Amino acid sequence: MVRERKIIVFIATSADGFIARRDGSFDWLQRPRPKDNYGMEAFYSSIDTILWGRKTCDMALDFQKKGVAGTGFDTRVKNYVFTHNVRHFQGEGAVAPAGVEFVNEPIKAFATRLREKEGKDVWIMGGAGIIASFLDAGEIDEFVISVVPTFIGEGIPLIAAGRRTVPLELISSTKFPDGVVKLHYAVGKYSSRGLDAGR
């Protein structure tokens, strides 16, 4: 039996719960990092698909235009960008960047189709909107959140605002010498039997 692929949010937040400043900048993340980059290298080898929200993709494209190193789309993995307006990116007659496919379909249907394909796990890159949409659809399996010991006061939250109560089950916590704490959670769901972890 083929193992069902997991959909995972792997992300860094400030100590007050933001993933970026209001303008999308993340200067507060520019800090010396451990050799394994808080487990990022191992995680990246476990995925073969990345999901992007429109605003996060906009920022990546802007960085690429400015020539910022390491901001291009990795063509070794499949990149899906969720948008209600494909022309926002493509313009008339333009084509998607290599390795990128634009998506405009219900989250549940897309996630079901993705899980049915054989492959590695799936990374939700962000931002807050796409994370909220997948979470509210019950289509996120795990969160891996590296909490950086810095307050930034205001910014873009981890999850877009909405009335929700989603229980989490702690899988592990890892403390790094620089004060970063990585929290690994399974997303729970309520059922008639109480709290079930994962799917």
Side-chain angles (χ1 to χ4, degrees):
M1 182 176 178
V2 177
R3 182 186 72 87
E4 186 176 84
R5 305 166 77 184
K6 291 186 291 187
I7 297 177
I8 302 170
V9 175
F10 189 104
I11 202 163
T13 72
S14 62
D16 43 356
F18 299 109
I19 58 176
R21 297 191 188 277
R22 284 185 176 179
D23 63 359
S25 64
F26 39 83
D27 53 289
W28 49 278
L29 283 177
Q30 306 307 315
R31 53 191 286 122
R33 302 186 183 194
K35 187 176 181 180
D36 67 347
N37 196 12
Y38 308 109
M40 181 63 196
E41 292 179 12
F43 173 74
Y44 200 79
S45 69
S46 74
I47 62 103
D48 62 7
T49 303
I50 301 175
L51 309 183
W52 302 72
R54 181 185 63 80
K55 292 179 181 178
T56 303
C57 183
D58 276 343
M59 287 191 288
L61 291 172
D62 186 52
F63 286 142
Q64 290 169 32
K65 288 178 183 177
K66 294 176 180 177
V68 178
T71 59
F73 294 102
D74 185 352
T75 57
R76 297 170 298 175
V77 300
K78 184 66 178 178
N79 294 275
Y80 292 98
V81 176
F82 281 77
T83 177
H84 295 298
N85 183 9
V86 172
R87 290 183 180 179
H88 170 85
F89 293 102
Q90 295 177 305
E92 295 293 340
V95 296
V100 174
E101 180 178 332
F102 296 109
V103 178
N104 181 10
E105 69 175 293
I107 297 292
K108 204 81 175 175
F110 173 83
T112 298
R113 180 163 57 85
L114 199 61
R115 292 181 191 279
E116 288 174 349
K117 294 180 180 178
E118 186 173 352
K120 296 182 179 181
D121 289 333
V122 179
W123 177 20
I124 297 186
M125 168 78 72
I130 189 174
I131 293 172
S133 295
F134 270 78
L135 185 64
D136 292 342
E139 293 297 343
I140 295 180
D141 298 290
E142 297 177 7
F143 279 84
V144 182
I145 305 168
S146 292
V147 181
V148 177
T150 303
F151 292 128
I152 64 173
E154 61 180 11
I156 300 170
L158 171 61
I159 304 169
R163 185 177 177 84
R164 60 178 69 88
T165 301
V166 182
L168 302 174
E169 180 176 290
L170 183 65
I171 295 173
S172 66
S173 62
T174 307
K175 178 182 176 182
F176 293 90
D178 62 355
V180 170
V181 177
K182 183 169 70 175
L183 303 171
H184 187 180
Y185 291 106
V187 178
K189 59 181 180 179
Y190 284 109
S191 71
S192 58
R193 296 174 295 166
L195 174 62
D196 292 332
R199 298 184 60 81

